[in-house]
Each structure stands twice: as C-alpha cells, then as structure tokens.
Amino acid sequence: MSASDAPKTANTFTNDALGNDDATALAERIRRRDVSISEVTQAAIARLHKAEPLVHGVVAERYQQMLETAAKLDSKSDLAEAPFFTGVPTFIKDNTNVAGMPTRQGSAAVPAGHLVKHTSPFAEQMLAQGYLCMGKTTMPEFGFNASTEPVHDAPTRNPWNLAYSSGASSGGAAALVASGAVPIAHANDGGGSIRIPAAVCGLIGLKPSRGRVIENDASKSLPIDILSDGVVTRTVRDTANFIYEAERYYRNPKLPSIGKVEGPSGKPMRIGLVIDSINGHKTDDTTRRVVEATARKLEAQGHHLEPVDTPANSSFPDDFAMYWGLLAFGMKLNGRKITHPGFDKRQVDGLTQGLDRMFKRGFLKMPAVLWRLRRARFEFAEAMSAYDAVLTPVLGHTTPKLGHLSSKVPFDTLFERLTQYANFTPLANVTGTPAISIPMAMTPENLPVSVQLMSKFGDERTLLELAFALESEFSPWATAEYSHA
C-alpha cells in the first residue's frame, strides 16, 4: 500500500451488534435481549482489531476473559435487576489498577509484565455499573503530557485524522471511543486529561467536582488533590447516565446530589465568557470563532452572556507549573513506592526530567505556591457568585500534528508549547470545580473543535443541562458518514 492509499481516518462503525449506538442505547438493547452480550463483545473485539493498528489505543487486553464473562451473563434468565450498563464494553486507563492486569502509567520506567492484585476503588465504582473491561488504554508518561506519544511506544492517533494527536492524558480512551471500537471508556483528569482528549476527538468529557466519585489512588498523597475520574463518551446522555449510576454506588454527603439529568433545564442562565488565557497566550482564530459562535447559540437559547476576567489570580499559571514540577519530582523520588519496586528513574522521559529540574530550581517557592493554589478555590467561588457557568475554550489552539508535543522535543520548547496549548483546563483541577468539554465545530482538516463550560463546585447538573442544549445544535456524530461495509 502506498502512502497515498493509507487510511486517513479510523472508522469502525458498521452494521454489527454495536451498530451506531451510544452506551445508553446499547445497554437498553441488551436489557431487552434484542442483542446478546456475547454478540456485543464479539463485535467490540472485531472493531478493536480493526482500529488498533491505526490508532494504537490499547496497552493490555483481556478479550478472551470478557467473552467468557459475556457467556455467563447471557445464561442468566433475567437482566432486569442487573446494573444499568451490564454488558457494555469499556476500557480502564493505564494509571488505574484492575486486578490481574498490568499498570505501567505509560512509562518505560515501570517494568512490564507485573500484574496487580487489587482493583482500585474508583475502578470498582465504575465496573459495578456492569461494564465489561476489555483492557487498559494508552497514556503519556504519568499523564504529564497533553499528547499521547510515549517515547517507548507508538503514538496514539486521532481517529478523525490519523496525522494528528488524540490529546492526553486519556488519549487512548478517546481514540477508542471516537473510532467506534467501544462507546464509553474511563478517563481521568489532573490538568485537563479528560477534557483535552475529549475535545480533540469530538467527545463529551466531564471532569466531576472534587470528591464526586471515589478518589483516585494517588489523591491521598497529594498536598492539593487535583485528580478526578470520569469517562469520555459520544453523547451527553452517556456521561449523564454514567455519573448518575456512579452516584447510586457512592454518594458523597458533602456534595449536592446531581440526580438524573435527561435534557436542558429550559431556564435562562447567566454565563461568563472568557476567550484568552491569563498566561498571556492569545487563543488562535479558529478556536476563538468557535467559542464566540457557541456564545451566540447560548444567547439564542435565552441565556445571558457577558465577558469576564478569568476567575483566577494572575500568578496561577506559574503556580500550577510549579505544582506540575512537584508531581514529576515526587514520581522520580518515590516511584518505587508509587508504582512498582522495579521502577527505574533513569528511564523516565524528557518531559518528566525537565519538570523535575524545573521544580528543583524553584522549590523554595513551594510554600507560597501551595498557599496561593489553596486560595484559588475561594477566589473562584467569589468570582462565580454572580454566574451559573463560564464558557471558555478547552485549548489555546486547534489539535496539533503528532510530534509537536512529543516528549522527544527539547524540554524548554515543549514546555512553551504546552503552556500555549493546555492553558484553560488546569483551573478546574486546582479549584475542584466541575468542567465539561463539548464539541461544537469541525476544521477543514476534519478535526473537532470544542468548548469548555465550568460551573460552581458541586454543580455538574448545570453543565449537563447546558451540554444537552448545545448537543442539539451540533454533534459530529449526527453528521459523520459511517461506513457499513
């Protein structure tokens, strides 16, 4: 096959047991016995075999085990009392433990072949909804990068255009869902790692409020817990149903209940509008136009939009960069305790090394940095007191080609590129507030462009209601031409 004949997209949608269904429709067909779980699992495996050579989103699989599990579930006489998503295929990200599978965190520094003995509490919360875990998804080393291009492995490619990044750090999850291999997959977010891959792959990506779901394994050790777990999906209702089912399993009494969200609220809201980042980098023209067009759509729906300053202190970008460096320093220092006794810090990639050096140069600033970052949630809450939500870009510019954010790029250049690109998402992590990525347009290169909505702590319901309304205006899945060969 010549280069000109090589596939430019990865599209596995076809007339099989999965069809074009989202996770909700698939779960409902399984419950009605319109399709067997074995048929669904076989279809997912066939799609994965088709997608994987193109996108490379899988680092470990257990397809045969899930076929056996599917057969056992099919033998049950009644699924009426089974969890809602019973039989729906999914994946767990490679930084979250699933018993009997490896967890390498996307890093060559973590030895291959070691199978963990215990499933993490969040993975238990997710899998209790009935999903079949087909395996583990790719990610950049320790989730530090905004593109899934580990130096020791092939890059994960964007299914809409294989020359481009799938985002990160949940890049493998997003690539598998966008390609149609599975309808929903686990993702987590320490600085944008749910929303960034969702944004560039045309998916819905909700970062929940801090404490909404059971905390990530690493959360307990962090001076400021910036981590949240969730999913990437092709429809708003899948995300809404996931968070509803997660809350049925574990309900945090310190947060207001979200409940079941099934569409727009219809009530007018006051929404702030932010176009440019406070780190001084101007948003590119394409992204700017999409955010402004989204603002007009929201106004047409009856909402009031007005420009606002970014609800954060001007020192926030530098402070977050130092915290980012602290995480790299901590991983190099404590990698054997955090990951595996065979952890080899000499094998970490250039980004981890550079962040570690950056932290060491400025570590004396950390007490003040941590004080300001802890204050950020109060400053955000005060700034949001007059608003129901804030509309921003997800990213500073459209999706880059593979290589632009590779960890092989010299650190100073790569870090500058990352601060120009992933400059809107970290605020929600530090403040603990919910934020959602919603696709709103396509570029001439056939790549999605998305917007971000942020709301008050504990108010995921508002974000889901607004997302439902915007989904009715645009969805890449409503117009995509799927092959049914």
Side-chain angles (χ1 to χ4, degrees):
M1 180 185 294
S2 68
S4 61
D5 294 330
K8 294 179 174 59
T9 63
N11 181 343
T12 69
F13 291 90
T14 188
N15 287 326
D16 57 13
L18 290 170
N20 290 346
D21 283 344
D22 64 359
T24 298
L26 183 60
E28 290 170 344
R29 285 201 297 125
I30 289 171
R31 188 175 298 275
R32 293 194 304 265
R33 301 281 188 174
D34 293 345
V35 63
S36 74
I37 298 173
S38 294
E39 289 172 328
V40 167
T41 306
Q42 289 164 0
I45 292 170
R47 290 191 184 194
L48 287 160
H49 286 318
K50 180 180 178 182
E52 184 58 12
L54 300 175
V55 300
H56 183 53
V58 179
V59 290
E61 56 90 353
R62 53 178 191 176
Y63 301 161
Q64 183 59 41
Q65 183 180 342
M66 290 302 99
L67 282 171
E68 294 168 3
T69 300
K72 292 176 182 177
L73 289 169
D74 282 333
S75 68
K76 291 186 176 182
S77 59
D78 186 13
L79 293 177
E81 300 302 318
F84 179 77
F85 285 110
T86 292
V88 173
T90 195
F91 278 80
I92 299 292
K93 187 174 170 180
D94 191 34
N95 60 0
T96 301
N97 289 342
V98 175
M101 299 200 74
T103 300
R104 296 194 69 194
Q105 303 223 23
S107 177
V110 181
H114 174 70
L115 306 182
V116 302
K117 296 180 180 179
H118 304 290
T119 299
S120 74
F122 171 78
E124 289 181 344
Q125 180 181 20
M126 179 171 177
L127 297 178
Q129 298 183 23
Y131 303 103
L132 297 190
C133 176
M134 307 295 292
K136 305 289 283 293
T137 55
T138 55
M139 59 180 289
E141 183 168 273
F142 310 126
F144 291 154
N145 206 340
S147 186
T148 303
E149 303 179 51
V151 295
H152 66 288
D153 201 359
T156 301
R157 299 177 180 274
N158 193 313
W160 294 93
N161 188 326
L162 297 172
Y164 286 78
S165 170
S166 68
S169 64
S170 309
L176 295 179
V177 174
S179 69
V182 293
I184 188 170
H186 166 236
N188 48 31
D189 196 317
S193 295
I194 294 173
R195 290 158 289 157
I196 292 170
V200 304
C201 290
L203 305 175
I204 302 298
L206 171 68
K207 185 206 84 68
S209 298
R210 182 184 294 138
R212 175 65 69 186
V213 299
I214 296 175
E215 64 185 9
N216 185 286
D217 294 337
S219 294
K220 297 174 185 178
S221 63
L222 297 178
I224 300 172
D225 181 11
I226 60 172
L227 303 176
S228 291
D229 284 88
V231 291
V232 287
T233 68
R234 294 194 296 267
T235 63
V236 177
R237 71 173 181 173
D238 276 359
T239 294
N241 287 334
F242 161 80
I243 203 74
Y244 173 72
E245 295 296 327
E247 197 172 34
R248 292 181 67 191
Y249 178 92
Y250 165 73
R251 161 85 167 83
N252 188 336
K254 297 180 181 179
L255 290 172
S257 175
I258 300 172
K260 193 166 182 65
V261 186
E262 299 181 278
S265 69
K267 67 179 181 182
M269 298 185 190
R270 192 176 183 193
I271 302 172
L273 174 63
V274 174
I275 300 291
D276 291 315
S277 169
I278 58 174
N279 69 4
H281 294 296
K282 189 176 177 64
T283 300
D284 79 332
D285 290 342
T286 299
T287 304
R288 178 181 296 271
R289 286 194 295 269
V290 172
V291 176
E292 291 172 341
T294 303
R296 291 192 292 272
K297 291 179 186 296
L298 288 167
E299 287 181 323
Q301 292 175 359
H303 306 296
H304 174 73
L305 275 287
E306 61 183 65
V308 296
D309 294 329
T310 301
N313 189 289
S314 61
S315 67
F316 179 83
D318 291 337
D319 290 341
F320 186 79
M322 280 298 296
Y323 194 78
W324 194 4
L326 171 65
L327 299 181
F329 169 79
M331 184 59 73
K332 284 192 68 179
L333 181 67
N334 298 308
R336 291 184 178 183
K337 294 180 181 178
I338 296 171
T339 63
H340 183 272
F343 177 85
D344 184 359
K345 66 181 180 181
R346 296 169 299 180
Q347 298 295 316
V348 300
D349 69 19
L351 177 57
T352 301
Q353 293 174 8
L355 290 169
D356 173 56
R357 291 193 302 268
M358 183 181 72
F359 169 76
K360 289 175 179 176
R361 289 195 301 267
F363 77 95
L364 292 176
K365 302 176 184 177
M366 280 309 296
V369 166
L370 292 174
W371 183 86
R372 287 192 296 268
L373 289 177
R374 290 187 178 108
R375 286 286 311 161
R377 66 188 181 101
F378 302 108
E379 294 165 352
F380 183 88
E382 182 178 357
M384 285 290 294
S385 61
Y387 298 94
D388 298 292
V390 172
L391 172 68
T392 79
V394 179
L395 294 157
H397 59 78
T398 55
T399 314
K401 284 190 172 182
L402 288 167
H404 182 74
L405 296 176
S406 168
S407 291
K408 296 178 182 178
V409 173
F411 175 74
D412 289 344
T413 300
L414 175 57
F415 188 77
E416 177 67 13
R417 289 177 179 178
L418 286 168
T419 57
Q420 291 180 31
Y421 183 55
N423 48 10
F424 288 94
T425 51
L427 181 59
N429 297 89
V430 172
T431 60
T433 51
I436 193 168
S437 172
I438 309 162
M440 289 305 301
M442 300 293 289
T443 70
E445 295 78 22
N446 196 43
L447 292 163
V449 183
S450 301
V451 301
Q452 176 177 244
L453 283 164
M454 303 171 65
S455 63
K456 299 171 184 176
F457 183 68
D459 192 15
E460 287 91 336
R461 172 171 279 273
T462 288
L463 296 182
L464 291 168
E465 289 171 345
L466 289 169
F468 269 115
L470 289 174
E471 185 179 45
S472 69
E473 297 282 346
F474 173 82
S475 170
W477 310 103
T479 55
E481 294 181 2
Y482 299 141
S483 169
H484 296 286

